[in-house]
């Protein structure tokens, strides 16, 4: 019975994801346990990130906060989704994670409840994001990027063909009309993303009800 229920839930999630036109079609749970619709971010440029507090990339929180301070007045939002799937590097409750991030990095952007981003329990939002933008490669000019590339190739020589999230601090840039513009792997820095963020903020959007038209 439990397997049947799980199968039904997975089927419903799959159907909803396949029907989704934008990130606005998804609900998420905030850090206070309240379910919210991402449609509240219509008209904003979004950077959606899966994070961890005990990762080699955790210092990127500082860069993310700096980006947020620089561009939020122009309509830029960062949506932070802690995830414990990669090396168990996001332990603790969402409240503990939030306290850590505010104490160490003074973050002000929204944090949401912990989720899974891969596998049968992946949040439908992330199933959608991955369907829109697959893995785009680690920066192998970076020491950590080379290490990750070699590690994943040892496990699967064709790993790059799989759209799954590879590690903490993968980032998705979303347009003002809710469409996925770009995917940045964990080795991407704020400087690597800034030009694309600026372009998304400058984009003009039409009145089209379905599909993407911000240019």
């Amino acid at each position: 019975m439990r397997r049947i229920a799980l199968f039904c839930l997975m089927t419903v999630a799959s159907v909803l994801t396949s029907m989704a036109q934008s990130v606005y079609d998804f609900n998420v749970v905030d850090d206070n346990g309240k379910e919210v619709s991402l449609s509240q971010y219509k008209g904003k440029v979004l950077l959606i990130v899966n994070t961890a507090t005990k990762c080699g990339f955790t210092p990127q929180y500082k860069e993310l906060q700096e980006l947020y301070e620089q561009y939020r007045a122009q309509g830029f939002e960062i949506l932070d989704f802690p995830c414990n799937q990669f090396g168990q590097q996001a332990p603790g409750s969402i409240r503990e994670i939030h306290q850590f991030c505010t104490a160490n990095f003074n973050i002000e952007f929204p944090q949401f409840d912990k989720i899974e981003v891969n596998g049968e329990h992946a949040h439908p939002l992330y199933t959608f994001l991955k369907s829109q933008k697959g893995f785009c490669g680690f920066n192998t000019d970076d020491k950590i990027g080379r290490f990750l590339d070699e590690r994943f190739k040892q496990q699967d020589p064709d790993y790059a063909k799989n759209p799954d999230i590879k590690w903490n601090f993968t980032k998705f840039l979303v347009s003002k009309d809710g469409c996925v513009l770009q995917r940045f792997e964990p080795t991407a820095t704020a400087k690597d993303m800034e030009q694309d963020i600026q372009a998304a903020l400058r984009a003009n959007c039409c009145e089209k009800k379905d599909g993407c038209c911000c240019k």
Side-chain angles (χ1 to χ4, degrees), residues 3 26 65 71 131 134 137 139 144 171 176-177 198 203-204 206:
R3 288 183 179 179
F26 297 95
Q65 177 59 27
Y71 293 109
S131 75
N139 176 11
I144 299 178
K171 311 156 192 80
K176 296 175 186 177
D177 52 1
Q198 291 171 345
N204 295 315
C206 64

Side-chain angles (χ1 to χ4, degrees), residues 74-90:
Q74 299 177 42
F76 177 61
E77 288 288 344
I78 296 174
L79 309 186
D80 175 3
F81 290 89
C83 175
N84 199 38
Q85 282 189 286
F86 306 102
Q88 303 287 298
Q89 294 179 347

Side-chain angles (χ1 to χ4, degrees), residues 45-47 171-175 179-182 184 196-197 200:
V45 171
L46 307 178
L47 191 68
K171 311 156 192 80
F172 290 89
L173 182 64
V174 177
S175 67
C179 296
V180 183
L181 296 172
Q182 186 60 276
F184 301 97
D196 290 298
I197 292 170

Side-chain angles (χ1 to χ4, degrees), residues 54-73:
K54 295 186 180 297
C55 176
F57 294 111
T58 298
Q60 287 190 14
Y61 264 121
K62 181 177 184 295
E63 293 184 0
L64 292 173
Q65 177 59 27
E66 290 171 351
L67 279 177
Y68 189 59
E69 291 174 0
Q70 184 170 357
Y71 293 109
R72 64 178 166 180

Side-chain angles (χ1 to χ4, degrees), residues 139-158:
N139 176 11
T140 52
D141 291 331
D142 177 87
K143 182 178 179 180
I144 299 178
R146 287 195 302 274
F147 168 79
L148 289 172
D149 180 58
E150 291 170 1
R151 173 183 172 180
F152 280 104
K153 279 182 177 176
Q154 289 173 357
Q155 297 173 352
D156 178 8
D158 295 322

